[in-house]
Amino acid sequence: MEDIDAIAVLQDPVRRRLYEYVAAQGREVGRNEAAEAAGVARSLAAHHLDRLAEAGLLESGSRRLTGRSGPGAGRPAKVYTRARVERSVSLPARDYRTAAELLAEAAEQAGLDAGLRAAARRRGETLRGSAAPCGGLEEAMEMLAARGYEPHLEDAEEATGAAARVVRMRNCPFHAVAERFPPLVCGMNLALLEGLLGADGPVRARMDARPGECCVVLEASKSNGD
């Protein structure tokens, strides 16, 4: 299916709500859960979820939602997750990805990592403008959500045994190029967010790569609570 046809599938408002809900969970979602979240009947949700899977926007599978196995565990239920493939439409046609990959390859071969990070930090500071450094994790999440990072809070265990609040991001806006040039692009991403959030504020960005998520996480600075 062409990208423009796949994206057109989201024109239906119910279908779009279902897609957005599944995409936001970062895990498998069953039909009952999706139907309840979208406020529609299960049969209607099943129809739209399957249509999204046919369009390549969702991936489907099956598993027992009870967590049990063997006799009496029930039949496996159909579940859905966001598809990994990217979809984009440009009219007229543009190919910025190839340009980005060529520039990244040239920068990596020339050893321009430090210069790229410095440029990225300046760009982050420019985007922040005259605003003060980000005031906390909630403010940072709003800022990054607007830029497509899909942030979510996660409790992490510190060495002291206390729970630390960490913001992880389900989406990397630079994913395609980062896959080919991870050290270069992830370092650029970190520097960009450092400039955007403000180096002297109560939120700190650091590297903590995890498969399927952005390589950068946010946490409250050690000297600041949140």
Side-chain angles (χ1 to χ4, degrees):
M1 178 176 286
E2 296 290 337
D3 284 3
I4 192 168
D5 296 321
I7 293 172
V9 170
L10 295 172
Q11 184 175 2
D12 184 280
V14 173
R15 201 173 291 159
R16 184 166 182 174
R17 288 204 305 274
L18 288 165
Y19 172 79
E20 289 175 343
Y21 179 77
V22 173
Q25 304 316 302
R27 57 174 172 78
E28 294 176 330
V29 175
R31 287 171 167 176
N32 288 337
E33 179 186 348
E36 184 177 350
V40 298
R42 183 185 184 279
S43 57
L44 181 60
H47 166 73
H48 285 307
L49 289 166
D50 285 341
R51 183 72 184 91
L52 289 164
E54 290 170 7
L57 296 171
L58 296 181
E59 295 177 356
S60 63
S62 61
R63 67 176 176 85
R64 289 187 172 91
L65 299 179
T66 60
R68 300 184 309 220
S69 60
R75 296 175 58 188
K78 202 162 187 179
V79 292
Y80 303 84
T81 56
R82 179 169 57 184
R84 296 183 181 182
V85 65
E86 294 182 13
R87 301 283 187 177
S88 62
V89 175
S90 176
L91 299 173
R94 297 287 187 264
D95 189 5
Y96 299 115
R97 175 173 171 174
T98 297
E101 289 178 348
L102 288 171
L103 290 168
E105 182 178 354
E108 186 174 77
Q109 291 180 351
L112 300 178
D113 304 56
L116 178 61
R117 290 194 299 271
R121 191 170 289 104
R122 289 195 300 270
R123 174 58 63 91
E125 292 169 350
T126 299
L127 291 172
R128 179 162 52 88
S130 59
C134 188
L137 290 179
E138 280 74 18
E139 183 180 335
M141 289 178 68
E142 291 181 11
M143 183 185 303
L144 297 182
R147 304 194 67 82
Y149 282 89
E150 299 181 9
H152 64 100
L153 268 175
E154 177 184 87
D155 287 335
E157 200 74 13
E158 289 185 323
T160 60
R165 301 175 72 210
V166 175
V167 173
R168 292 189 176 272
M169 293 166 275
R170 293 193 176 99
N171 183 51
C172 172
F174 316 110
H175 173 73
V177 188
E179 275 196 318
R180 287 197 57 190
F181 309 96
L184 181 78
V185 178
C186 291
M188 176 199 76
N189 189 23
L190 175 62
L192 177 70
L193 294 182
E194 287 174 341
L196 188 63
L197 299 170
D200 300 325
V203 178
R204 181 174 74 97
R206 62 176 175 84
M207 289 286 196
D208 188 7
R210 178 184 288 185
E213 294 189 341
C214 178
C215 58
V216 179
V217 301
L218 309 181
E219 61 186 7
S221 299
K222 297 299 182 182
S223 58
N224 294 278
D226 190 84

